[in-house]
Amino acid sequence: MQADGHNGNNALDTLKKSDIKVYELIGRQSQGIQTFEQYHKGILDALRTEDGIVYDLIAAEHTRVQDTIQLIAAENQCSQAVLAALGSVAQNKTTEGFPGARFHGGSEVVDEIETLAAARAKEVFGARYANVQPHSGSTANQIVLAALLNSGDKILSMGFDQGGHPSHGAAESLIGKLFEVESYYVDRDSFLLDYEAIRQQALNFRPKLIICGATAYSRTIDFAEFRSIADEVGAFLLADISHISGLVIAGAHPSPMNYAHFTTTSTYKPGGPRGGLILMGEDTALCKRIEQATFPGVQGTPYLNHIAAKAVFFKEALSEEYKARQFEIVENARRLAYNLVGLGYDVLTGGTDNHMVLVNVANFKKGLTGIIAQKCLEDCGIVINMNKLPYDKRCATVTSGMRLGTPIVTKNSMGVEQMDEITSLVDAVLKEVQVVSETEYELDESFCDEIRGRVKKLCSRFPMR
Ligand SMILES: *Cc1c(COP(=O)(O)O)cnc(C)c1O
């Protein structure tokens, strides 16, 4: 591999080896003066020649990722084969509609790509219907809402400030403006979902749609319980499993497939390309409405390169290696949580069932905030994100929380031993930092250099995969 790690030939070879079906489909799309391989071979060289500035920036991003520890729970790292599909001529095809019923000619090959992606998605999740067109997880949610609701209809969803996602109806979002949204909360003491309280709220509010799923919740979500609440009030249930979909695939978290009427996920969080996915379990009666809400409802043309890349990712997700890794992700997160509790950190709910650990840093050191934790760790090569916690007194740009996630470190083959090392690095930084104000701090330059060196050394033993 070249130093920049984006060798186009390499990526194509990997795609050929790992997914000959998608490789050949993309190949058929690009027959012409040059062969498929000749055309795609020079991708990185073309970038270097045509735009050295962007080339250098992408190379710098590669170096940043390789030399620092990635602990953002919402991130993952796709394979070279997925990257190859993203950077292929499949990107050029403009078409509208669904396979077999397109509004543009020349869609016969991309029809096969999309059909393959949807079939694999169904197999991966045990679904009866899969729509691989959503451009993102947020868009997947918008499509489901557009299919089910009229403006003014009622939605009950987890509050954005409680760990829910903006696309579930935050006041600032389009959803929040179009619909009447009420938030449900986690328990003030345990920080756990209180299903009885949600049931009572649903009985009072009478929503047409209940949304479950979160971006900052580290415990198992009881989809059966949510379905029974939805049935009691005659509501639809949407399970947004973006953060935990990899775990769901492997059985490391229960699946909502036959409880929720609709299941949505982003495709990058479980380790695929950027994009979204809509799934349905046993009851597929409303699938035509979902397709109309996709096009012309919410989106225009689908991104066929992303759909090809989703197909490649779904093949990977069917492998035993992928499934085993999901359990390791949880084991690593549990180890981080366990270590942090041992060092006196306030880990929300006392631990984790999934890939993320939420910590109230304000309870660790007087005046410490999420933004300071994020920044001083970043100074030392450890990449995390601040997180507004439920009932947090600080605003979203300051916060009292930090969120750590283990998908990427696990992908790069780190295990519990490395989690111990990471814990001591994080702890050393947070102990050393001197709080000046809500957002300002002091941290000795030579201390940062020392930690950065240790981080780089650790990362060099676990290269990006
Ligand atoms: C990340 C996330 C999304 C949004 O996905 P994007 O592809 O970034 O739009 C939606 N819902 C939940 C629960 C998420 O965690």
Side-chain angles (χ1 to χ4, degrees), residues 74 135-141 163-168 212-216 240-244 264-269 274-276 403:
H135 301 328
S136 71
S138 299
T139 312
N141 289 337
H165 191 265
S167 64
H168 297 181
C212 59
T215 63
D240 176 354
I241 57 169
S242 283
H243 257 274
I244 53 168
T264 54
T265 178
S266 62
T267 48
Y268 63 89
K269 285 191 188 120
R274 279 193 183 268
R403 187 179 65 169

Side-chain angles (χ1 to χ4, degrees), residues 84-292:
L86 284 173
S88 70
V89 291
Q91 117 81 27
N92 292 334
K93 185 70 195 116
T94 293
T95 193
E96 289 166 344
F98 284 80
R102 305 281 198 182
F103 291 85
H104 299 75
S107 298
E108 66 274 15
V109 178
V110 294
D111 275 10
E112 278 189 62
I113 291 177
E114 186 170 336
T115 305
L116 178 66
R120 285 179 178 172
K122 286 194 276 187
E123 193 181 346
V124 165
F125 286 96
R128 296 262 316 277
Y129 171 81
N131 181 339
V132 294
Q133 287 197 7
H135 301 328
S136 71
S138 299
T139 312
N141 289 337
Q142 282 172 24
I143 290 167
V144 173
L145 269 51
L148 295 179
L149 308 178
N150 293 308
S151 62
D153 279 349
K154 292 179 180 176
I155 300 172
L156 180 63
S157 61
M158 191 175 190
F160 179 31
D161 61 356
Q162 297 282 303
H165 191 265
S167 64
H168 297 181
E172 305 85 344
S173 75
L174 186 62
I175 307 292
K177 288 179 181 161
L178 286 177
F179 305 104
E180 189 183 337
V181 183
E182 203 171 280
S183 298
Y184 58 82
Y185 299 83
V186 295
D187 181 80
R188 211 170 250 282
D189 299 316
S190 67
F191 294 101
L192 297 172
L193 287 167
D194 178 347
Y195 296 96
E196 233 0 86
I198 297 167
R199 185 186 306 276
Q200 281 310 319
Q201 201 177 352
L203 284 166
N204 291 333
F205 183 55
R206 295 270 154 197
K208 190 161 171 188
L209 173 69
I210 297 175
I211 307 179
C212 59
T215 63
Y217 189 72
S218 55
R219 293 300 183 174
T220 301
I221 295 173
D222 190 339
F223 298 117
E225 193 66 49
F226 268 110
R227 177 58 186 257
S228 98
I229 296 169
D231 282 347
E232 220 173 305
V233 299
F236 287 110
L237 179 65
L238 164 60
D240 176 354
I241 57 169
S242 283
H243 257 274
I244 53 168
S245 52
L247 308 187
V248 167
I249 288 169
H253 186 291
S255 170
M257 211 48 58
N258 292 322
Y259 295 115
H261 298 90
F262 306 91
T263 297
T264 54
T265 178
S266 62
T267 48
Y268 63 89
K269 285 191 188 120
R274 279 193 183 268
L277 176 67
I278 303 171
L279 301 156
M280 296 168 80
E282 276 153 17
D283 181 4
T284 59
L286 293 173
C287 71
K288 280 286 162 266
R289 259 160 79 182
I290 289 290
E291 297 196 342
Q292 275 162 5

